[in-house]
């Protein structure tokens, strides 16, 4: 039996058209990706869109339109952009790939992987193009594995994860952009002619400025609940390039993968080069539908512990910064325990013996507790936490060192730096990046976590930070020939290390932090439970940042903390009610010195934490419906989460501007069951009187077609009035 015939037996969804031609159907509940895999011919892309049945699949190639190679390679038509380019051992710069084999196999978690193997027509050079689907998920992951049997290394000069032709119409692309403390801002624009590139070259982190994810609305300006949207997320923590090439055809050509600009790769005979996955989703329920697809796939299959609810925590950073001492930590632990929190995280400043970590210019790498600050060590703090009935967590930045550290004194060869040049130093004027391409450094980083966890198995949570880009391109570990591997091998090394950590400590909660939101990407999230959205904790600005971040990432992964007022980054004075109402729309935590809170504020927070525990499953496991965008500047923003069974929902409304007698739109809800009766309960109420609809019931139909009026301001005593207003409503049906 030929392999191609075998394939049709293996995959129920595969239909065979002419002899030797294979229509490969990669299907999810609501989408289809169709390829034409004819043996000896290039693999052709046929279709990506709503789910197709046998009839339309059979006739699809008769519908006209251009056909494109599903994974275009460089060489025979050099004027076109390609997903892969390579220089063969003999100097030949061309590739000419043809289908040799198609296979499908099941993975342990029920996922199905379809692999199309292509070989070069002349050279022993092979590319496997893979597509993975998961039960109940509308996301398709695609990636490639390249190898060869040529006598000498082949130099890979471009290695995209995937390619997708997008039929021109009025395609708008939404992307995230920003900066440190201003991450995750949304920008939407129609695709221009020629080239649009979204890229990153930081090396270690990759989501402060732009993001490796996009939404493509196929029908003009994207809508939240309607319209055809393709979402794409490159699952990678390193340098990326997303590229839309709009040429003279009827199509935009979308490519996404590792950015090749800092990297070429000398692939040895028999070695495999695997690209990160590009996750694609198609939805006809607008941006919101695509987001919900990503969130569900993420929680079910990608995010570490995506099925477990997250604890309410207090992090010490904005409360005390580097001023770590035992009395202070004990006081903070008592305060968060007293307010109903479940976890305390001691941030930066607890370590360093020869060089105590009193500021950001020393000690990274010296992960030994400073007993002058903490006489009873970590153990003492764990015991205190335990006595208070809360868990204990700790901050580390294991990929880094400082030139002023014992680690650097012992192992200057561990750092990233070009040979023959002085190191370039980052944060604090002394920070250096460890070369994770080096297996000894991989062991060292693993041991930072392993030693902590072995000595203090009580540790429940680690905040894993990364506060420097790769500086001074070069590796002291790699050979002269392979200096161009650094950026890629850094992330291979990081991933290998994280895999080891996760194998040994699957239940440990680990936060990805990178100077705030530098590591919001699906490449690292299999090893992390959540990420720090931004070092900016200002509630008003967070509405914008969390809105954008929610395009691709679920609330369960978005750490969102109540902090002090005036805010430390923006100096904005924001009432506790508003700060709480924003923080409660993500993974709630606190980032404040509770000692400076009044008793009334503590009581307000105690109630909010208790209420958050009630809505936590809805926020962290529910479906998001974004209702009124802050980017539309209508004076307010609103979103809601709905439980999968649609029995419960939480509705958020935040005023974003303050003018007297302003007219704000009434927000209609979404995602509810039209026939269910929902009882409305306001959470975090500060008003003297309840809302007129408090305790009343409404059908989902009414709430979705009419909505509820939100008063412009809070009904409070004169001395409590301020320029903010926000609401959190719980909706419950039996
Ligand atoms: C980074 C993080 C902060 C904090 C500091 C500690 O900036 O983003 O949250 O942990 O490091 O130095």
């Amino acid at each position: 039996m030929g392999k191609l015939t075998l394939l049709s037996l293996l995959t129920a969804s595969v239909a065979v058209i002419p002899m030797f031609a294979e229509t490969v159907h990669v299907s999810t509940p609501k989408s289809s990706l169709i390829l034409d895999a004819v043996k000896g011919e290039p693999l052709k892309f046929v279709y990506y869109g709503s789910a197709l049945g046998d009839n339309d699949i059979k006739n699809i190639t008769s519908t006209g339109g251009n056909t494109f190679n599903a994974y275009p390679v460089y060489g025979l038509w050099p004027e076109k952009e390609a997903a892969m380019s390579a220089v063969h051992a003999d100097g030949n710069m061309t590739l000419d790939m043809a289908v040799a084999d198609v296979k499908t196999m099941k993975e342990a978690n029920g996922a199905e992987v379809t692999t199309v193997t292509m070989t070069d027509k002349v050279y022993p050079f092979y590319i496997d193009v893979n597509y993975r689907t998961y039960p109940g998920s509308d996301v398709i992951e695609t990636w490639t594995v390249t190898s060869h049997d040529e006598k000498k290394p082949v130099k890979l000069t471009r290695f995209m994860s995937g390619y997708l032709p997008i039929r021109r119409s009025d395609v708008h692309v939404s992307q995230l952009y920003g900066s440190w403390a201003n991450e995750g801002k949304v920008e939407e624009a129609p695709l221009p002619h020629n080239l649009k590139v979204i890229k990153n070259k930081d090396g270690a982190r990759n989501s402060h400025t732009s993001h490796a994810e996009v939404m493509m609305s196929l029908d003009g300006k994207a809508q939240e609940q309607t319209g055809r949207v393709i979402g794409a997320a490159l699952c990678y923590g390193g340098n990326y390039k997303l590229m839309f090439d709009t040429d003279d055809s009827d199509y935009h050509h979308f490519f996404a993968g590792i950015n090749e600009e800092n990297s070429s790769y000398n692939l040895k005979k028999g070695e495999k080069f695997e690209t990160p996955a590009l996750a694609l989703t198609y939805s006809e329920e607008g941006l919101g539908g695509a987001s919900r697809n990503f969130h569900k796939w993420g929680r079910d299959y990608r995010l570490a512990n995506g099925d477990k609810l997250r604890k309410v925590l207090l992090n010490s950073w904005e409360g005390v910064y580097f001023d770590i001492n035992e009395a202070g930590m004990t006081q903070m632990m008592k305060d968060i325990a007293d307010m109903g929190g479940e976890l305390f995280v001691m941030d930066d400043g607890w370590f360093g013996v020869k060089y105590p970590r009193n500021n950001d210019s020393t000690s990274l790498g010296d992960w030994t507790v400073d007993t002058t600050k903490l006489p009873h060590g970590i153990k003492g703090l764990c015991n205190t936490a335990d006595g208070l009935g809360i868990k204990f967590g700790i901050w580390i930045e294991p990929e880094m060192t400082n030139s002023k550290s014992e680690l650097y004194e012992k192992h200057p060869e561990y750092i990233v730096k070009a040979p023959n040049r002085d190191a370039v130093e980052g944060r604090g004027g002394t920070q250096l990046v460890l070369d994770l391409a080096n297996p000894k450094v991989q062991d060292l980083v693993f041991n930072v976590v392993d030693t902590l966890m072995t000595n203090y198995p009580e540790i429940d949570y680690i905040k894993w930070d990364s506060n420097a880009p790769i500086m001074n391109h070069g590796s002291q570990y790699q050979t002269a020939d392979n200096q161009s591997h650094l950026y890629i091998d850094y992330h291979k090394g990081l991933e290998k290390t994280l895999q080891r950590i996760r194998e040994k400590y699957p239940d440990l909660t680990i936060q990805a932090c990178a100077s705030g939101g530098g590591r919001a990407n699906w490449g690292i999230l299999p090893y992390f439970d959540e990420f720090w959205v931004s070092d900016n904790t200002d509630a008003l600005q967070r509405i914008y940042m969390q809105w954008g971040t929610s395009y691709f990432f679920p609330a369960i992964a978005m750490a969102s903390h109540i902090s002090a007022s005036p805010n430390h980054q923006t100096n904005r004075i924001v009432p506790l009610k508003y700060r709480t109402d924003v923080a409660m729309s993500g993974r709630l935590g606190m980032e404040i010195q509770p000692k400076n809170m009044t008793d009334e504020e503590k009581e307000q927070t105690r109630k909010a934490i208790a209420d958050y525990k009630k809505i936590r499953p809805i926020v962290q496991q529910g479906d998001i419906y974004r209702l009124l965008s802050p980017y539309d500047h209508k004076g307010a923003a609103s979103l809601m989460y709905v439980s999968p069974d649609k029995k419960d929902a939480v509705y958020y409304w935040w005023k974003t501007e303050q003018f007297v007698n302003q007219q704000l739109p009434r927000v209609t809800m979404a995602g509810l069951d039209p026939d269910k009766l929902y009882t409305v309960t306001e959470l975090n109420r500060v008003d003297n009187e309840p809302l007129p609809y408090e305790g009343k019931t409404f059908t989902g139909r009414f709430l979705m077609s009419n909505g509820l009026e939100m008063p412009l301001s809070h009904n409070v005593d004169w001395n409590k009035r301020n320029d903010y207003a926000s609401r959190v409503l719980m909706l419950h049906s039996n």
Side-chain angles (χ1 to χ4, degrees):
M1 189 186 287
K3 280 175 188 158
L4 293 175
T5 334
L6 180 65
L7 168 79
S8 49
L9 294 178
L10 287 173
T11 52
S13 49
V14 167
V16 181
I17 322 176
M19 257 231 297
F20 302 125
E22 282 289 349
T23 298
V24 177
H25 182 192
V26 180
S27 69
T28 75
K30 289 191 183 157
S31 72
S32 287
L33 175 77
I34 313 261
L35 305 161
D36 201 9
V38 180
K39 204 172 181 179
E41 297 290 322
L43 176 67
K44 293 284 181 194
F45 170 89
V46 178
Y47 171 87
Y48 181 47
S50 64
L52 298 187
D54 289 348
N55 181 73
D56 290 334
I57 292 176
K58 189 165 63 157
N59 294 328
I60 193 158
T61 45
S62 70
T63 61
N66 306 30
T67 56
F68 297 100
N69 290 352
Y71 191 73
V73 292
Y74 180 82
L76 300 190
W77 301 95
E79 84 280 18
K80 298 218 182 296
E81 288 294 343
M84 171 158 283
S85 58
V87 184
H88 295 281
D90 65 2
N92 189 317
M93 292 173 66
T94 65
L95 291 170
D96 186 10
M97 307 304 298
V99 173
D101 190 16
V102 187
K103 278 203 270 308
T104 13
M105 59 143 201
K106 281 247 187 242
E107 293 182 332
N109 60 0
E112 191 170 283
V113 178
T114 302
T115 301
V116 181
T117 298
M118 305 194 296
T119 59
D120 190 281
K121 288 187 181 163
V122 175
Y123 288 83
F125 184 91
Y126 320 107
I127 304 175
D128 282 353
V129 186
N130 301 291
Y131 300 90
R132 180 187 281 123
T133 56
Y134 300 90
S137 162
D138 275 307
V139 168
I140 297 173
E141 295 174 7
T142 181
W143 74 101
T144 62
V145 178
T146 301
S147 60
H148 70 87
D149 283 323
E150 298 183 30
K151 292 201 179 75
K152 288 191 191 143
V154 173
K155 186 192 273 294
L156 306 181
T157 49
R158 183 176 279 182
F159 20 72
M160 292 291 185
S161 296
Y163 159 75
L164 198 65
I166 314 275
R167 182 68 169 83
R168 283 205 208 191
S169 52
D170 184 16
V171 180
H172 282 223
V173 168
S174 301
Q175 68 181 93
L176 304 184
Y177 72 98
S179 187
W180 172 80
N182 191 20
E183 295 92 337
K185 302 286 287 293
V186 177
E187 182 179 69
E188 180 178 340
L191 275 177
H193 285 100
N194 210 328
L195 206 57
K196 177 186 174 82
V197 176
I198 300 170
K199 49 102 186 146
N200 177 274
K201 294 192 191 180
D202 181 285
R205 307 84 47 86
N206 71 8
S207 54
H208 279 120
T209 49
S210 55
H211 263 247
E213 307 89 26
V214 284
M215 294 286 193
M216 304 168 228
S217 163
L218 306 185
D219 308 301
K221 186 173 168 5
Q223 304 298 313
E224 274 296 337
Q225 322 300 350
T226 57
R228 300 178 302 154
V229 169
I230 293 174
L234 182 74
C235 306
Y236 192 53
N239 293 354
Y240 56 80
K241 186 185 258 184
L242 274 55
M243 214 163 67
F244 296 88
D245 182 30
T246 303
D247 59 11
D248 55 350
S249 72
D250 291 334
Y251 285 76
H252 305 285
H253 304 275
F254 173 63
F255 298 84
I258 297 176
N259 191 341
E260 78 286 359
E261 286 173 32
N262 313 66
S263 309
S264 55
Y265 210 89
N266 301 312
L267 191 67
K268 288 190 281 223
K269 179 177 171 166
E271 196 188 351
K272 284 185 170 23
F273 185 93
E274 182 167 339
T275 66
L278 171 64
L280 298 169
T281 193
Y282 173 82
S283 172
E284 295 187 349
E285 291 171 42
L287 286 174
S291 295
R292 289 187 289 279
N293 289 350
F294 278 130
H295 295 183
K296 186 170 174 359
W297 156 81
R299 282 191 308 257
D300 291 351
Y301 300 110
R302 194 115 194 142
L303 179 68
N305 301 309
D307 57 345
K308 298 204 183 83
L309 297 179
R310 308 313 198 224
K311 298 184 185 77
V312 177
L313 62 84
L314 169 66
N315 178 292
S316 67
W317 181 241
E318 285 193 22
V320 298
Y321 293 102
F322 286 103
D323 189 13
I324 300 280
N325 59 65
E326 200 166 280
M329 295 299 98
T330 304
Q331 166 254 313
M332 287 183 119
M333 284 194 266
K334 280 187 180 154
D335 281 329
I336 188 61
D338 178 53
M339 285 187 279
E342 299 153 314
L343 166 70
F344 173 72
V345 182
M346 176 170 66
D347 210 283
D348 199 353
W350 59 269
F351 53 92
V353 175
K354 182 171 174 190
Y355 302 106
R357 174 86 168 169
N358 295 325
N359 55 51
D360 62 7
S361 68
T362 67
S363 331
L364 295 175
D366 302 348
W367 302 107
T368 310
V369 68
D370 179 350
T371 47
T372 55
K373 294 176 183 173
L374 301 166
H376 298 93
I378 312 274
K379 194 84 195 164
L381 297 175
C382 289
N383 289 342
T384 306
D386 192 47
L388 291 164
I390 59 171
K391 300 284 185 191
F392 182 78
I394 198 163
W395 179 95
I396 52 173
E397 197 181 351
E399 297 156 73
M400 305 283 164
T401 188
N402 293 101
S403 49
K404 225 172 161 193
S405 72
E406 291 185 71
L407 175 66
Y408 183 67
E409 283 170 359
K410 267 189 236 128
H411 292 292
E413 77 282 10
Y414 279 0
I415 65 152
V416 164
K417 121 183 155 55
N420 308 322
R421 296 198 189 280
D422 290 340
V424 175
E425 294 167 288
R427 188 184 185 197
T430 55
Q431 187 156 333
L432 301 161
V433 182
L434 297 173
D435 186 352
L436 268 161
N438 183 342
K440 286 193 180 141
V441 172
Q442 294 166 18
D443 286 344
L444 179 98
V445 173
F446 172 78
N447 284 332
V448 174
V449 175
D450 195 38
T451 306
L452 273 176
M453 294 308 295
T454 306
N455 292 343
Y456 319 109
E458 303 90 334
I459 291 179
D460 185 70
Y461 178 107
I462 281 180
K463 175 173 173 180
W464 178 308
D465 217 331
S466 170
N467 288 312
I470 284 185
M471 299 159 287
N472 196 355
H473 183 165
S475 170
Q476 302 188 77
Y477 166 75
Q478 306 272 23
T479 59
D481 291 355
N482 289 342
Q483 291 295 306
S484 65
H485 290 199
L486 171 69
Y487 282 84
I488 292 171
D489 285 352
Y490 183 93
H491 283 277
K492 278 196 197 162
L494 176 61
E495 188 158 354
K496 225 163 126 186
T497 310
L498 289 165
Q499 266 161 7
R500 269 173 85 188
I501 291 171
R502 273 308 183 189
E503 264 159 38
K504 195 155 174 195
Y505 304 105
D507 299 327
L508 177 68
T509 305
I510 315 183
Q511 180 188 71
C513 178
S515 311
R519 277 193 171 160
N521 67 69
W522 281 115
I524 54 99
L525 283 177
Y527 313 106
F528 292 87
D529 301 71
E530 61 174 35
F531 58 87
W532 187 218
V533 176
S534 176
D535 271 348
N536 187 341
T537 55
D538 175 84
L540 183 63
Q541 203 170 333
R542 273 283 180 132
I543 291 175
Y544 293 81
M545 294 191 281
Q546 294 180 184
W547 189 273
T549 307
S550 81
Y551 274 33
F552 306 100
F553 302 99
I556 191 173
M558 288 164 52
S560 178
H561 295 179
I562 300 169
S563 64
S565 176
N567 179 268
H568 291 192
Q569 294 79 38
T570 60
N571 301 315
R572 206 188 320 266
I573 295 175
V574 181
L576 180 62
K577 154 83 178 150
Y578 195 90
R579 284 178 272 149
T580 307
D581 284 3
V582 172
M584 271 172 78
S585 68
R587 195 281 282 131
L588 175 67
M590 302 191 78
E591 182 99 10
I592 196 168
Q593 172 51 281
K595 175 164 98 172
N596 299 336
M597 295 168 75
T598 64
D599 286 347
E600 195 185 343
E601 285 175 328
K602 282 187 181 160
E603 182 52 31
Q604 202 176 319
T605 307
R606 190 174 296 119
K607 268 203 91 234
I609 291 177
D611 282 342
Y612 183 77
K613 288 178 186 166
K614 286 188 212 148
I615 59 169
R616 174 160 51 186
I618 314 166
V619 177
Q620 297 189 2
Q621 304 287 0
D623 288 319
I624 193 170
Y625 289 85
R626 287 178 300 256
L627 306 171
L628 179 61
S629 170
Y631 295 92
D632 287 343
H633 301 292
K634 299 262 172 64
S638 178
L639 59 79
M640 64 195 289
Y641 299 103
V642 182
S643 65
D645 62 6
K646 299 200 183 284
K647 275 188 166 174
D648 292 282
V650 198
Y651 168 91
Y652 296 84
W653 179 90
W654 309 284
K655 202 160 69 168
T656 50
E657 286 168 2
Q658 164 76 342
F659 298 102
V660 174
N661 285 337
Q662 65 200 121
Q663 276 90 39
L664 300 180
R666 185 174 62 215
V667 177
T668 52
M669 300 190 186
L672 299 171
D673 180 335
D675 297 322
K676 278 196 194 325
L677 274 182
Y678 294 92
T679 310
V680 179
T681 311
E682 183 182 8
L683 305 183
N684 300 343
R685 173 156 78 87
V686 292
D687 299 45
N688 292 335
E689 298 293 330
L691 290 165
Y693 38 77
E694 173 77 22
K696 302 229 161 37
T697 57
F698 301 91
T699 59
R701 182 171 290 104
F702 174 80
L703 294 170
M704 292 193 290
S705 66
N706 186 84
L708 298 171
E709 293 287 357
M710 298 295 128
L712 283 186
S713 49
H714 290 287
N715 173 10
V716 291
D717 296 346
W718 267 105
N719 61 345
K720 291 194 172 157
R721 295 216 165 170
N722 60 64
D723 46 348
Y724 283 85
S726 57
R727 303 282 166 181
V728 182
L729 305 181
M730 197 167 77
L731 306 177
H732 174 69
S733 74
N734 289 311

